[in-house]
Amino acid sequence: MSTLPAARLRELYDRWSELWRGDFSHADEILHPDFVVHQARPDGSDSEATRGPARLLPEIEQTRAAFRDIRIGVDLGPIVEDDLIAARWTMTAAYNGGLPSATAPVGTEVSFSGHDILRVADGRFVEYWTCTDVLDGLSQLGAVAGPNGPPRN
């Protein structure tokens, strides 16, 4: 159970959102050295193998390299309960190119959603569960075929 008031946890989530906007200046202040990500990864890799800011920041940089004009809106939340913070979000951005199998032209606007659950300990995020609709994003980029994306020629 968190000893921080709900308002402070919501402020912490605002600082989390700043990371995704590319401001890493406070990453060590809000991410615990043992920060762990629990995530189903499309490539099958272990999302828990690397811990701390070194686990999350490269993923944010990869996202920011693949997309520009990123806008992340919180659709629901943040909802605070004890030491947990949850939110549903939607990201809208323009594609920069470079994703394997994508057929969409550079500049294609995409929009997809996800949700986060974060656990706080000692005033920092220590665990992160995330579920992102990667399939939706990849289908908009023409990177998947069949019922969830455009047909391949």
Side-chain angles (χ1 to χ4, degrees):
M1 188 138 148
S2 177
T3 58
L4 296 175
R8 173 66 180 105
L9 291 175
R10 285 186 186 91
E11 288 173 15
L12 195 57
Y13 187 82
D14 288 344
R15 296 185 77 201
W16 166 264
S17 297
E18 290 170 6
L19 290 176
W20 288 94
R21 290 184 192 103
D23 180 359
F24 297 168
S25 64
H26 58 280
D28 289 331
E29 295 171 30
I30 69 167
L31 299 176
H32 194 277
D34 289 327
F35 176 79
V36 63
V37 176
H38 307 285
Q39 176 185 40
R41 302 202 35 93
D43 64 3
S45 62
D46 181 2
S47 71
E48 299 174 22
T50 303
R51 293 182 177 239
R55 164 57 184 89
L56 183 67
L57 301 184
E59 187 167 319
I60 295 172
E61 288 173 331
Q62 288 173 350
T63 300
R64 295 185 61 75
F67 299 99
R68 68 176 182 273
D69 303 325
I70 295 173
R71 296 170 308 282
I72 301 173
V74 176
D75 305 322
L76 180 64
I79 300 167
V80 174
E81 172 100 15
D82 297 327
D83 62 347
L84 299 173
I85 302 170
R88 176 156 177 86
W89 50 265
T90 298
M91 182 179 115
T92 303
Y95 178 53
N96 274 339
L99 293 179
S101 304
T103 59
V106 170
T108 297
E109 186 157 301
V110 299
S111 182
F112 55 90
S113 298
H115 65 264
D116 299 334
I117 301 171
L118 296 128
R119 186 171 69 83
V120 176
D122 301 323
R124 294 192 276 185
F125 295 114
V126 69
E127 283 187 277
Y128 173 40
W129 293 266
T130 184
C131 183
T132 303
D133 194 347
V134 174
L135 186 59
D136 185 24
L138 291 175
S139 68
Q140 292 174 58
L141 294 174
V144 292
N148 295 311
R152 297 274 173 137
N153 295 330

